[in-house]
Amino acid sequence: MTNLPQNMTVIAISQPGGPEVLKPEQRPVPAPAGNEILIRVAAAGVNRPDIFQRLGAYPPPKGATDLPGLEVSGTVAALGSGVNRWKIGDRVCALAPGGGYAEYVTVDGNSTLPAPEGFSPVDAAALPETFFTVWHNVFELGGLKQGETLLVHGGASGIGTTAIMLAKAFGANVIVTAGTDEKCAACRDLGADTAINYRSTDWVTEIKKVTDSKGANVILDMVGGAYIEQNYQAAAIGGRIVNIAFLQGSKVEVDFMRLMMKRLTHTGSTLRAQSLEAKARIAAALEANVWPLLASGQCRPLIHARFPLVEASRAHALMESNANIGKVILTIGDDWLS
Protein backbone atom coordinates (compact mmCIF):
# COMPACT_ATOMS: atom_id res chain seq x y z
CA MET A 1 0.00 0.00 0.00
CA THR A 2 1.37 3.37 -0.95
CA ASN A 3 0.99 6.60 1.01
CA LEU A 4 1.75 4.98 4.34
CA PRO A 5 3.03 7.56 6.83
CA GLN A 6 6.56 7.22 8.15
CA ASN A 7 5.51 7.76 11.76
CA MET A 8 2.46 6.98 13.89
CA THR A 9 0.99 7.77 17.30
CA VAL A 10 1.35 5.01 19.87
CA ILE A 11 0.71 4.64 23.58
CA ALA A 12 3.89 3.60 25.37
CA ILE A 13 4.61 2.59 28.95
CA SER A 14 6.98 5.32 30.12
CA GLN A 15 7.89 3.37 33.28
CA PRO A 16 6.22 0.72 35.43
CA GLY A 17 3.37 2.21 37.42
CA GLY A 18 -0.23 3.38 37.46
CA PRO A 19 -2.42 4.35 34.50
CA GLU A 20 -0.72 7.73 34.29
CA VAL A 21 2.48 6.13 32.92
CA LEU A 22 0.71 5.47 29.60
CA LYS A 23 2.00 8.24 27.33
CA PRO A 24 1.47 9.09 23.64
CA GLU A 25 4.63 8.89 21.52
CA GLN A 26 5.60 9.06 17.89
CA ARG A 27 7.25 5.94 16.47
CA PRO A 28 8.03 4.63 12.98
CA VAL A 29 5.31 2.65 11.23
CA PRO A 30 6.49 -0.99 11.27
CA ALA A 31 6.94 -2.99 8.08
CA PRO A 32 5.45 -6.49 7.81
CA ALA A 33 7.86 -9.36 7.25
CA GLY A 34 7.27 -12.87 5.96
CA ASN A 35 3.79 -14.03 6.99
CA GLU A 36 2.92 -10.76 8.72
CA ILE A 37 0.38 -8.15 7.70
CA LEU A 38 0.29 -4.48 8.63
CA ILE A 39 -3.07 -3.37 10.00
CA ARG A 40 -4.27 0.19 10.00
CA VAL A 41 -5.90 0.04 13.41
CA ALA A 42 -9.49 1.13 13.92
CA ALA A 43 -9.71 -0.02 17.53
CA ALA A 44 -7.81 -2.02 20.13
CA GLY A 45 -9.11 -4.05 23.03
CA VAL A 46 -7.94 -3.42 26.59
CA ASN A 47 -7.15 -6.57 28.58
CA ARG A 48 -5.80 -7.54 31.99
CA PRO A 49 -2.41 -8.57 30.56
CA ASP A 50 -2.01 -4.95 29.37
CA ILE A 51 -2.40 -3.80 32.97
CA PHE A 52 0.06 -6.39 34.24
CA GLN A 53 2.55 -5.29 31.57
CA ARG A 54 2.10 -1.65 32.57
CA LEU A 55 2.83 -2.59 36.19
CA GLY A 56 6.02 -4.35 35.12
CA ALA A 57 4.66 -7.80 36.01
CA TYR A 58 4.13 -9.23 32.50
CA PRO A 59 7.03 -8.53 30.16
CA PRO A 60 6.45 -9.02 26.43
CA PRO A 61 7.81 -12.20 24.82
CA LYS A 62 11.31 -12.09 23.37
CA GLY A 63 11.30 -10.20 20.09
CA ALA A 64 7.89 -8.59 20.63
CA THR A 65 7.31 -4.85 20.80
CA ASP A 66 7.27 -3.16 24.21
CA LEU A 67 3.95 -1.49 23.36
CA PRO A 68 0.80 -2.91 25.01
CA GLY A 69 -2.23 -4.13 23.09
CA LEU A 70 -3.04 -7.76 22.31
CA GLU A 71 -6.03 -7.41 19.95
CA VAL A 72 -6.98 -5.02 17.18
CA SER A 73 -9.40 -4.46 14.35
CA GLY A 74 -8.98 -2.44 11.20
CA THR A 75 -7.94 -2.83 7.58
CA VAL A 76 -4.97 -4.50 5.94
CA ALA A 77 -2.51 -1.78 4.91
CA ALA A 78 0.50 -3.81 3.74
CA LEU A 79 1.49 -7.45 3.23
CA GLY A 80 4.58 -9.47 4.02
CA SER A 81 6.12 -11.47 1.20
CA GLY A 82 4.66 -14.78 2.42
CA VAL A 83 1.03 -13.71 2.84
CA ASN A 84 -1.46 -15.31 0.46
CA ARG A 85 -4.89 -15.10 2.10
CA TRP A 86 -5.20 -11.36 2.73
CA LYS A 87 -5.23 -8.39 0.42
CA ILE A 88 -4.92 -4.65 0.92
CA GLY A 89 -8.16 -3.18 2.25
CA ASP A 90 -9.53 -6.35 3.86
CA ARG A 91 -11.43 -5.65 7.07
CA VAL A 92 -9.96 -7.84 9.78
CA CYS A 93 -9.45 -8.40 13.48
CA ALA A 94 -6.35 -10.01 14.88
CA LEU A 95 -4.49 -11.32 17.87
CA ALA A 96 -1.27 -9.35 18.36
CA PRO A 97 1.86 -10.18 20.40
CA GLY A 98 1.74 -6.54 21.51
CA GLY A 99 1.65 -3.14 19.84
CA GLY A 100 -2.11 -2.77 19.50
CA TYR A 101 -2.16 0.63 21.20
CA ALA A 102 -1.05 2.29 17.98
CA GLU A 103 -2.27 3.58 14.63
CA TYR A 104 -0.57 0.67 12.85
CA VAL A 105 0.53 -2.77 14.02
CA THR A 106 2.07 -5.85 12.42
CA VAL A 107 0.47 -9.22 13.21
CA ASP A 108 0.83 -12.79 12.01
CA GLY A 109 -1.46 -13.34 9.05
CA ASN A 110 -2.58 -16.70 10.44
CA SER A 111 -3.63 -15.12 13.76
CA THR A 112 -5.92 -12.82 11.80
CA LEU A 113 -9.61 -13.35 11.07
CA PRO A 114 -12.08 -11.52 8.85
CA ALA A 115 -14.23 -9.01 10.70
CA PRO A 116 -17.57 -10.85 11.04
CA GLU A 117 -20.39 -9.70 8.82
CA GLY A 118 -22.40 -6.94 10.44
CA PHE A 119 -19.64 -5.85 12.82
CA SER A 120 -18.35 -2.30 12.97
CA PRO A 121 -14.56 -1.95 13.00
CA VAL A 122 -14.69 -0.89 16.64
CA ASP A 123 -16.83 -3.80 17.83
CA ALA A 124 -14.61 -6.29 15.99
CA ALA A 125 -11.72 -5.27 18.26
CA ALA A 126 -13.59 -6.87 21.18
CA LEU A 127 -13.25 -10.34 19.67
CA PRO A 128 -9.73 -11.77 19.32
CA GLU A 129 -8.22 -11.92 22.83
CA THR A 130 -11.37 -12.99 24.65
CA PHE A 131 -12.69 -15.40 22.02
CA PHE A 132 -9.29 -17.04 21.51
CA THR A 133 -8.96 -17.38 25.30
CA VAL A 134 -12.44 -18.76 25.93
CA TRP A 135 -12.39 -21.19 23.01
CA HIS A 136 -8.99 -22.60 23.92
CA ASN A 137 -9.54 -22.85 27.66
CA VAL A 138 -13.23 -23.74 27.95
CA PHE A 139 -13.77 -25.89 24.88
CA GLU A 140 -10.32 -27.30 24.09
CA LEU A 141 -8.61 -27.65 27.47
CA GLY A 142 -11.84 -27.85 29.48
CA GLY A 143 -13.67 -29.99 26.94
CA LEU A 144 -17.06 -28.44 27.70
CA LYS A 145 -19.90 -30.46 26.16
CA GLN A 146 -23.57 -29.86 25.52
CA GLY A 147 -25.59 -30.41 28.69
CA GLU A 148 -22.65 -29.90 31.06
CA THR A 149 -22.33 -27.12 33.63
CA LEU A 150 -19.72 -24.37 33.29
CA LEU A 151 -18.73 -22.22 36.27
CA VAL A 152 -17.11 -18.89 35.37
CA HIS A 153 -15.48 -16.67 37.97
CA GLY A 154 -15.49 -13.00 37.03
CA GLY A 155 -18.63 -13.44 34.98
CA ALA A 156 -19.00 -9.74 34.14
CA SER A 157 -15.49 -9.35 32.69
CA GLY A 158 -14.74 -9.43 28.99
CA ILE A 159 -13.67 -13.07 29.34
CA GLY A 160 -16.66 -13.89 31.52
CA THR A 161 -19.30 -12.37 29.27
CA THR A 162 -17.79 -14.12 26.27
CA ALA A 163 -17.74 -17.45 28.12
CA ILE A 164 -21.41 -17.06 29.02
CA MET A 165 -22.48 -16.44 25.42
CA LEU A 166 -20.39 -19.18 23.87
CA ALA A 167 -21.25 -21.81 26.47
CA LYS A 168 -24.97 -21.11 26.08
CA ALA A 169 -24.65 -21.17 22.29
CA PHE A 170 -23.21 -24.68 22.53
CA GLY A 171 -25.89 -25.93 24.92
CA ALA A 172 -24.22 -25.78 28.33
CA ASN A 173 -25.65 -24.70 31.68
CA VAL A 174 -23.79 -21.63 32.98
CA ILE A 175 -23.12 -20.48 36.54
CA VAL A 176 -21.11 -17.32 37.20
CA THR A 177 -19.76 -15.47 40.19
CA ALA A 178 -19.57 -11.68 40.22
CA GLY A 179 -19.05 -8.97 42.83
CA THR A 180 -22.25 -6.91 42.64
CA ASP A 181 -25.96 -7.50 42.15
CA GLU A 182 -25.78 -5.28 39.04
CA LYS A 183 -23.09 -7.49 37.52
CA CYS A 184 -25.06 -10.62 38.39
CA ALA A 185 -28.14 -9.19 36.68
CA ALA A 186 -26.10 -8.36 33.57
CA CYS A 187 -24.76 -11.92 33.47
CA ARG A 188 -28.28 -13.33 33.68
CA ASP A 189 -29.35 -10.99 30.87
CA LEU A 190 -26.56 -12.49 28.74
CA GLY A 191 -27.89 -15.99 29.38
CA ALA A 192 -26.27 -17.20 32.61
CA ASP A 193 -28.58 -19.67 34.33
CA THR A 194 -27.31 -18.75 37.80
CA ALA A 195 -25.35 -15.67 38.92
CA ILE A 196 -23.94 -15.59 42.44
CA ASN A 197 -22.78 -12.45 44.26
CA TYR A 198 -19.67 -13.79 45.95
CA ARG A 199 -19.62 -10.87 48.39
CA SER A 200 -22.98 -11.80 49.93
CA THR A 201 -23.31 -15.54 49.23
CA ASP A 202 -21.16 -18.62 49.85
CA TRP A 203 -20.74 -19.55 46.22
CA VAL A 204 -19.59 -23.13 46.86
CA THR A 205 -22.75 -23.87 48.88
CA GLU A 206 -24.93 -22.19 46.25
CA ILE A 207 -23.38 -24.18 43.40
CA LYS A 208 -24.00 -27.43 45.20
CA LYS A 209 -27.59 -26.32 45.75
CA VAL A 210 -28.35 -25.39 42.15
CA THR A 211 -26.65 -28.50 40.73
CA ASP A 212 -28.30 -30.96 43.16
CA SER A 213 -24.87 -31.50 44.75
CA LYS A 214 -23.36 -32.62 41.43
CA GLY A 215 -21.09 -29.58 40.99
CA ALA A 216 -19.65 -27.92 37.89
CA ASN A 217 -18.14 -29.98 35.07
CA VAL A 218 -15.82 -27.19 33.88
CA ILE A 219 -14.54 -24.23 35.92
CA LEU A 220 -12.88 -21.21 34.30
CA ASP A 221 -10.96 -19.33 36.97
CA MET A 222 -8.96 -16.11 36.79
CA VAL A 223 -8.97 -15.50 40.55
CA GLY A 224 -6.76 -18.18 42.09
CA GLY A 225 -5.84 -17.77 45.74
CA ALA A 226 -8.43 -19.33 48.05
CA TYR A 227 -10.58 -20.12 45.01
CA ILE A 228 -8.23 -22.94 44.04
CA GLU A 229 -9.32 -25.21 46.87
CA GLN A 230 -12.91 -23.93 46.70
CA ASN A 231 -12.99 -24.91 43.03
CA TYR A 232 -12.11 -28.46 44.06
CA GLN A 233 -15.11 -28.39 46.40
CA ALA A 234 -17.44 -27.01 43.71
CA ALA A 235 -16.29 -29.32 40.90
CA ALA A 236 -18.23 -32.37 39.75
CA ILE A 237 -16.77 -35.85 39.65
CA GLY A 238 -14.40 -35.83 36.66
CA GLY A 239 -14.49 -32.03 36.57
CA ARG A 240 -11.98 -29.93 34.65
CA ILE A 241 -10.60 -26.73 36.20
CA VAL A 242 -8.77 -24.25 33.98
CA ASN A 243 -6.85 -21.27 35.37
CA ILE A 244 -6.09 -18.35 33.10
CA ALA A 245 -4.90 -15.91 35.79
CA PHE A 246 -4.26 -15.65 39.52
CA LEU A 247 -5.56 -12.24 40.60
CA GLN A 248 -5.51 -13.34 44.25
CA GLY A 249 -2.20 -15.18 44.01
CA SER A 250 -0.76 -18.39 42.60
CA LYS A 251 0.98 -19.67 45.74
CA VAL A 252 -1.48 -21.27 48.15
CA GLU A 253 -1.82 -24.27 50.44
CA VAL A 254 -4.23 -26.78 48.93
CA ASP A 255 -5.52 -30.19 50.01
CA PHE A 256 -5.16 -32.26 46.86
CA MET A 257 -7.17 -35.17 48.24
CA ARG A 258 -10.32 -33.89 46.50
CA LEU A 259 -8.44 -33.83 43.20
CA MET A 260 -7.78 -37.55 43.62
CA MET A 261 -11.15 -38.55 45.04
CA LYS A 262 -13.11 -36.63 42.39
CA ARG A 263 -10.71 -37.52 39.55
CA LEU A 264 -10.32 -33.86 38.70
CA THR A 265 -8.15 -32.32 36.01
CA HIS A 266 -6.55 -28.97 36.88
CA THR A 267 -4.79 -27.21 34.04
CA GLY A 268 -4.25 -23.72 32.68
CA SER A 269 -2.70 -21.64 29.95
CA THR A 270 -1.50 -18.27 28.83
CA LEU A 271 -2.25 -17.13 25.29
CA ARG A 272 0.45 -14.61 24.49
CA ALA A 273 3.37 -17.02 24.91
CA GLN A 274 1.92 -19.75 22.69
CA SER A 275 3.48 -20.47 19.31
CA LEU A 276 2.23 -18.91 16.09
CA GLU A 277 1.21 -22.41 14.99
CA ALA A 278 -0.95 -22.87 18.11
CA LYS A 279 -2.59 -19.48 17.64
CA ALA A 280 -3.26 -20.24 13.97
CA ARG A 281 -4.95 -23.49 14.95
CA ILE A 282 -7.20 -21.68 17.44
CA ALA A 283 -8.00 -19.04 14.83
CA ALA A 284 -9.07 -21.72 12.34
CA ALA A 285 -11.29 -23.37 14.96
CA LEU A 286 -12.92 -20.05 15.79
CA GLU A 287 -13.59 -19.24 12.16
CA ALA A 288 -15.22 -22.63 11.63
CA ASN A 289 -17.22 -22.88 14.86
CA VAL A 290 -17.80 -19.39 16.27
CA TRP A 291 -17.66 -16.86 13.42
CA PRO A 292 -20.99 -18.13 12.01
CA LEU A 293 -22.59 -17.43 15.41
CA LEU A 294 -21.23 -13.88 15.33
CA ALA A 295 -22.36 -13.25 11.76
CA SER A 296 -25.87 -14.52 12.59
CA GLY A 297 -26.13 -12.32 15.67
CA GLN A 298 -26.43 -15.27 18.04
CA CYS A 299 -23.32 -14.05 19.89
CA ARG A 300 -22.26 -10.45 20.30
CA PRO A 301 -19.46 -9.09 22.50
CA LEU A 302 -20.62 -6.86 25.33
CA ILE A 303 -18.75 -3.54 25.20
CA HIS A 304 -18.82 -1.45 28.36
CA ALA A 305 -16.90 1.64 27.23
CA ARG A 306 -14.92 3.14 24.38
CA PHE A 307 -12.08 5.64 24.81
CA PRO A 308 -9.92 7.48 22.26
CA LEU A 309 -6.42 6.01 22.01
CA VAL A 310 -4.84 9.01 23.76
CA GLU A 311 -7.09 8.35 26.78
CA ALA A 312 -5.69 4.87 27.37
CA SER A 313 -4.91 5.81 30.96
CA ARG A 314 -8.63 6.35 31.62
CA ALA A 315 -9.42 2.98 30.08
CA HIS A 316 -6.90 1.27 32.36
CA ALA A 317 -8.24 3.09 35.42
CA LEU A 318 -11.75 1.89 34.59
CA MET A 319 -10.66 -1.72 34.20
CA GLU A 320 -8.67 -1.61 37.43
CA SER A 321 -11.74 -0.30 39.26
CA ASN A 322 -13.56 -3.52 38.27
CA ALA A 323 -16.59 -1.41 37.39
CA ASN A 324 -16.78 -2.59 33.79
CA ILE A 325 -19.34 -5.11 32.60
CA GLY A 326 -17.85 -6.43 29.37
CA LYS A 327 -15.05 -5.11 27.19
CA VAL A 328 -13.18 -1.80 27.22
CA ILE A 329 -12.07 -0.54 23.80
CA LEU A 330 -9.64 2.10 22.52
CA THR A 331 -10.69 3.79 19.28
CA ILE A 332 -8.18 5.17 16.82
CA GLY A 333 -10.55 6.72 14.26
CA ASP A 334 -13.16 5.87 11.64
CA ASP A 335 -11.44 7.26 8.56
CA TRP A 336 -10.45 3.69 7.65
CA LEU A 337 -13.48 3.65 5.34
CA SER A 338 -11.90 6.23 3.03
Side-chain angles (χ1 to χ4, degrees):
M1 181 177 181
T2 58
N3 301 321
L4 283 174
Q6 288 188 325
N7 296 305
M8 62 178 180
T9 299
V10 307
I11 299 297
I13 300 170
S14 59
Q15 63 185 53
E20 69 279 359
V21 305
L22 296 173
K23 303 290 187 181
E25 288 184 4
Q26 290 293 304
R27 290 198 183 181
V29 172
N35 292 320
E36 292 181 335
I37 62 173
L38 178 70
I39 294 178
R40 183 183 181 187
V41 179
V46 178
N47 295 282
R48 286 282 172 185
D50 302 337
I51 292 175
F52 296 146
Q53 180 176 339
R54 192 202 73 222
L55 293 169
Y58 190 55
K62 184 178 180 180
T65 174
D66 64 325
L67 298 175
L70 301 177
E71 61 182 345
V72 298
S73 60
T75 52
V76 177
L79 304 171
S81 60
V83 175
N84 296 313
R85 176 178 184 182
W86 306 108
K87 63 182 185 299
I88 304 298
D90 282 346
R91 302 177 185 182
V92 296
C93 57
L95 200 65
Y101 291 15
E103 293 180 301
Y104 290 87
V105 64
T106 53
V107 300
D108 178 59
N110 293 321
S111 298
T112 302
L113 289 162
E117 184 179 345
F119 271 67
S120 73
V122 171
D123 288 357
L127 298 174
E129 176 72 12
T130 49
F131 278 78
F132 272 72
T133 297
V134 170
W135 182 262
H136 179 55
N137 289 285
V138 173
F139 294 92
E140 295 183 342
L141 294 182
L144 183 68
K145 301 177 181 64
Q146 183 177 359
E148 290 191 323
T149 295
L150 170 69
L151 166 61
V152 181
H153 295 303
S157 66
I159 294 289
T161 53
T162 300
I164 292 169
M165 289 184 287
L166 283 185
K168 292 306 297 181
F170 287 96
N173 181 65
V174 179
I175 303 170
V176 303
T177 63
T180 68
D181 291 341
E182 179 190 10
K183 288 183 176 182
C184 287
C187 291
R188 285 190 290 268
D189 288 344
L190 284 173
D193 299 279
T194 303
I196 304 166
N197 185 336
Y198 63 81
R199 298 186 192 276
S200 59
T201 303
D202 183 322
W203 58 266
V204 173
T205 300
E206 188 66 16
I207 287 165
K208 290 180 179 178
K209 178 182 175 182
V210 299
T211 62
D212 295 325
S213 298
K214 294 177 182 177
N217 303 104
V218 178
I219 300 176
L220 182 65
D221 181 24
M222 59 191 82
V223 180
Y227 276 38
I228 294 174
E229 182 152 350
Q230 291 172 299
N231 286 335
Y232 290 2
Q233 297 174 38
I237 301 294
R240 290 86 70 195
I241 301 160
V242 188
N243 269 93
I244 57 172
F246 295 97
L247 297 178
Q248 290 186 4
S250 59
K251 297 180 180 180
V252 295
E253 185 173 320
V254 178
D255 182 356
F256 286 105
M257 188 58 68
R258 283 193 179 88
L259 183 143
M260 294 170 59
M261 300 304 294
K262 287 186 170 183
R263 302 185 297 280
L264 304 177
T265 299
H266 189 173
T267 185
S269 76
T270 60
L271 183 59
R272 190 179 194 181
Q274 294 197 43
S275 68
L276 293 178
E277 292 77 14
K279 293 173 184 176
R281 180 187 54 75
I282 299 170
L286 282 172
E287 188 166 6
N289 295 288
V290 175
W291 253 231
L293 302 176
L294 294 168
S296 70
Q298 187 172 346
C299 287
R300 194 89 189 182
L302 183 63
I303 298 176
H304 180 90
R306 302 168 176 84
F307 294 90
L309 178 66
V310 294
E311 296 183 14
S313 59
R314 288 183 59 206
H316 274 226
L318 170 63
M319 181 165 281
E320 285 186 285
S321 75
N322 289 320
N324 60 296
I325 300 174
K327 293 285 293 186
V328 178
I329 300 295
L330 298 175
T331 61
I332 283 75
D334 58 6
D335 61 345
W336 64 281
L337 287 169
S338 61

